[in-house]
Amino acid sequence: MADNVTSLFRSTAAHSPSMAALTRESDGAGPVDFCIPCNPYFPTPAMFEEMAARLRDIITYYPSSADTITAELCGLLQLPPQCVAMGNGSTELITWIDHLLVRESLAVPVPTFGRWTDQPMETGKRVDMFPLQESGGFALDLAQYAEFIRARGTRVAVICNPNNPDGGFLHKHAVVQFMDAMADLDLVVVDESFLEFADAENEPSVVQEAMLRPNVIVLRSLGKNFGLHGIRFGYLVANPALAGRVRSMLPKWNLNSFAEHVVFMLKEHGAEYAQSLHQVRRDRMDMSGQLSALPGLTVYPSQGNFLFVRLPVGAEGTVVRDRMLTEHRILVRECGNKIGSSSRFLRLVVRPQVDVRRLVTGLEQVLYGTARRGAAVPGPATGTGYSSGTAAVDRLVSQTNGAGVPMPPPASAGVPAGAPAVPQQPVPQPLPQPLPQPLAPAAATVPAAPVAPAAPMGPMGPVAPMPVPMPAAAAVVPPVAAPVAAPVPGVAPAPLPQPTWPTPPGVPARGGLTAAQVRGTDGLSAAPAPGRPGPQGWPYAAGMGRAG
């Protein structure tokens, strides 16, 4: 395996090699996986035995239609089928969201899941990247993000909750407030792929609120929650018109027979699923404590089933990754090819304690050396040369605000580099208040939901209506380092100019950096390659793992 490690990682561009590829290069047994964020406790051994007994039938015959499988899932989650579209993994749904609903530009905080930057870039859209600052613990301030969107004139906004790779969490009330402040955008996407693992709030999902709004999509994963990435299934929730638009473009048999079999099994295993989530949350706390005890290693707070860690000063992530794999047969996610991150960071998936002890032992030997051999951590500014985008990413995060404008020195500049303490979360600021004017019909590009959004029903009763904002006039001016001033009350802002074609690929957004520039390409080609228990004890969709 050692001779082929470098080539395997170089050929996968913005992701890690598949477990199948790593297994083929070994003696037939794959490494201990701290890279792919699966649920290690679900399905149960009995469920795997049941699937194995049905394997011949599952792979021999066609599955039912996606409508049949979707109806079964919606009955389980207590969701109306007309508000749901199931895809062959969340990536298929992200692809169709981009093709159907992203007209010209998309904003997303970075670092984040790579398809939210790469997919729109590949179709020639402008990607406005909002850097999450290391000095603030990679926390997303929604008020600053909203100002960034207005200054850029972005038409689609994405937030991931919890975020990947850092596990940063946003409370439900803040997400709903952001959704309503962005009601004049073409689309707001809330990616809740890892929300089942969160325990910071009892019912953190906004799926119920999304169904009542005309321009909101919530994306959720099944493979991550159920520990079945290989099956490829996920779903989105939106108002019926919006969900139906995506659903109408999906192939009739876009879901395979394994996905169907698992969905129809779930109603009998709600209690086991809830217990698996509880165990992952407990393991996350224990694993964070063990990693935090390693000298110079910073562990960031996470609500996902993974931990984001910063290596000690002088450590090169690609070297650590390769040695962990070749010497200890442990696979970790080095984050140098994630926009907004660098090779000093690893994402480590939460696993059982027996595996964590093996991980900690391996890191101690690789980072600090043993009696048998010295530490192989190189000095600063050295590396293997194939951690794509690290230098450009570091400049983007530390020197600019994502629009090519230099950032002032952070308030924590006096803190020594490599200090193990985790940065304090910044105090969020209130979101900009929208103008109390109705949205003009011409500004809506997404069909309105049949339920009026003026008085939506939340889990706890009616939600007070919020005024619908108009596009801010400051959205078309060149970005500056200081926040954009709020609109003057009583003065109607001028509508945003609507282009009739996408921004050409690779063209900066009003002086900013494009995703292609950060990746080091020309932009003309692809980038280098919670809830009440429901029936049978299964929790509701707004908090699937909170029963038991």
Side-chain angles (χ1 to χ4, degrees):
M1 183 185 289
D3 295 338
N4 296 316
V5 164
T6 299
S7 61
L8 281 176
F9 282 91
R10 182 185 292 132
S11 63
T12 55
H15 210 271
S16 298
S18 69
M19 187 60 65
L22 291 169
T23 302
R24 285 193 295 269
E25 296 297 335
S26 67
D27 56 6
V32 178
D33 179 22
F34 280 89
C35 176
I36 308 301
C38 280
N39 182 344
Y41 301 109
F42 196 84
T44 64
M47 294 176 68
F48 276 118
E49 290 177 4
E50 181 181 342
M51 284 187 282
R54 296 286 308 279
L55 178 62
R56 185 182 181 91
D57 289 343
I58 291 173
I59 66 176
T60 298
Y61 300 109
Y62 276 109
S64 301
S65 69
D67 290 342
T68 300
I69 303 172
T70 300
E72 175 68 14
L73 180 70
C74 289
L76 192 69
L77 303 180
Q78 299 294 291
L79 291 171
Q82 64 268 30
C83 292
V84 175
M86 286 190 71
N88 190 255
S90 59
T91 299
E92 180 181 49
L93 298 173
I94 291 172
T95 301
W96 280 111
I97 289 171
D98 173 53
H99 282 288
L100 293 174
L101 305 173
V102 181
R103 295 183 300 157
E104 187 265 342
S105 56
L106 176 145
V108 61
V110 292
T112 194
F113 179 47
R115 294 312 300 167
W116 283 121
T117 54
D118 295 353
Q119 172 60 42
M121 179 188 72
E122 290 164 6
T123 55
K125 313 294 172 48
R126 193 185 80 217
V127 179
D128 296 337
M129 296 169 289
F130 180 75
L132 301 176
Q133 300 298 324
E134 179 182 347
S135 60
F138 295 97
L140 173 59
D141 187 313
L142 287 174
Q144 293 181 6
Y145 185 39
E147 291 176 352
F148 173 84
I149 291 168
R150 295 305 186 193
R152 306 284 286 189
T154 317
R155 299 306 307 158
V156 173
V158 175
I159 55 176
C160 298
N161 190 35
N163 191 42
N164 173 14
D166 57 275
F169 177 77
L170 300 166
H171 285 278
K172 179 177 180 176
H173 70 87
V175 176
V176 173
Q177 186 181 10
F178 178 82
M179 287 159 46
D180 289 335
M182 300 289 108
D184 60 306
L185 297 189
D186 294 345
L187 185 67
V188 176
V189 180
V190 183
D191 188 337
E192 294 183 349
S193 291
F194 295 97
L195 194 62
E196 293 297 288
F197 301 104
D199 59 2
E201 193 170 3
N202 188 42
E203 295 188 0
S205 177
V206 295
V207 293
Q208 300 295 332
E209 289 73 16
M211 290 187 290
L212 302 175
R213 287 161 173 78
N215 71 329
V216 177
I217 286 178
V218 173
L219 194 68
R220 295 181 69 88
S221 171
L222 294 174
K224 299 177 180 66
N225 302 338
F226 299 153
L228 295 169
H229 276 281
I231 289 183
R232 309 303 303 139
F233 55 171
Y235 66 100
L236 64 78
V237 182
N239 73 74
L242 197 52
R245 187 174 177 189
V246 176
R247 193 168 55 246
S248 67
M249 300 301 295
L250 298 172
K252 185 175 182 61
W253 284 297
N254 69 316
L255 302 176
N256 59 56
S257 295
F258 264 116
E260 177 179 17
H261 189 76
V262 170
V263 168
F264 276 81
M265 288 177 65
L266 292 176
K267 60 178 174 289
E268 304 297 334
H269 299 280
E272 295 98 320
Y273 175 64
Q275 178 59 35
S276 74
L277 298 179
H278 177 74
Q279 186 63 49
V280 169
R281 296 172 194 137
R282 187 165 58 185
D283 287 349
R284 178 177 62 210
M285 182 180 301
D286 293 341
M287 180 174 167
S288 177
Q290 292 191 52
L291 291 173
S292 297
L294 296 178
L297 197 75
T298 300
V299 182
Y300 294 89
S302 172
Q303 284 288 293
N305 62 332
F306 47 81
L307 296 172
F308 197 49
V309 303
R310 185 182 65 197
L311 296 171
V313 174
E316 167 61 39
T318 54
V319 174
V320 174
R321 176 199 66 200
D322 292 354
R323 284 194 56 187
M324 290 292 290
L325 184 58
T326 58
E327 299 174 14
H328 301 278
R329 300 184 68 83
I330 293 175
L331 178 63
V332 300
R333 177 61 161 99
E334 179 267 326
C335 294
N337 57 8
K338 275 188 173 290
I339 296 177
S341 179
S342 77
S343 195
R344 273 195 73 189
F345 294 90
L346 303 179
R347 186 194 66 195
L348 302 172
V349 172
V350 174
R351 289 191 62 85
Q353 287 303 300
V354 62
D355 294 335
V356 174
R357 287 193 293 270
R358 181 172 170 179
L359 170 72
V360 171
T361 299
L363 287 173
E364 286 175 336
Q365 294 179 10
V366 170
L367 292 175
Y368 315 114
T370 65
R372 179 175 59 84
R373 59 182 297 181
V377 176
T382 64
T384 61
Y386 56 91
S387 176
S388 60
T390 298
V393 164
D394 288 341
R395 289 195 299 272
L396 172 68
V397 174
S398 62
Q399 299 178 11
T400 77
N401 66 350
V405 178
M407 292 285 290
S412 58
V415 178
V422 178
Q424 295 294 321
Q425 300 283 344
V427 178
Q429 302 177 9
L431 289 168
Q433 295 298 318
L435 290 177
Q437 299 182 9
L439 182 64
T445 61
V446 178
V451 182
M457 294 295 295
M460 304 301 294
V463 179
M466 298 187 67
V468 178
M470 293 293 289
V476 297
V477 301
V480 294
V484 178
V488 178
V491 179
L496 288 170
Q498 299 299 324
T500 57
W501 59 85
T503 301
V507 175
R510 301 188 181 91
L513 293 175
T514 65
Q517 289 171 321
V518 174
R519 288 272 187 222
T521 70
D522 58 8
L524 302 177
S525 57
R532 302 172 301 279
Q536 295 83 40
W538 192 270
Y540 286 123
M544 291 171 59
R546 307 309 191 269

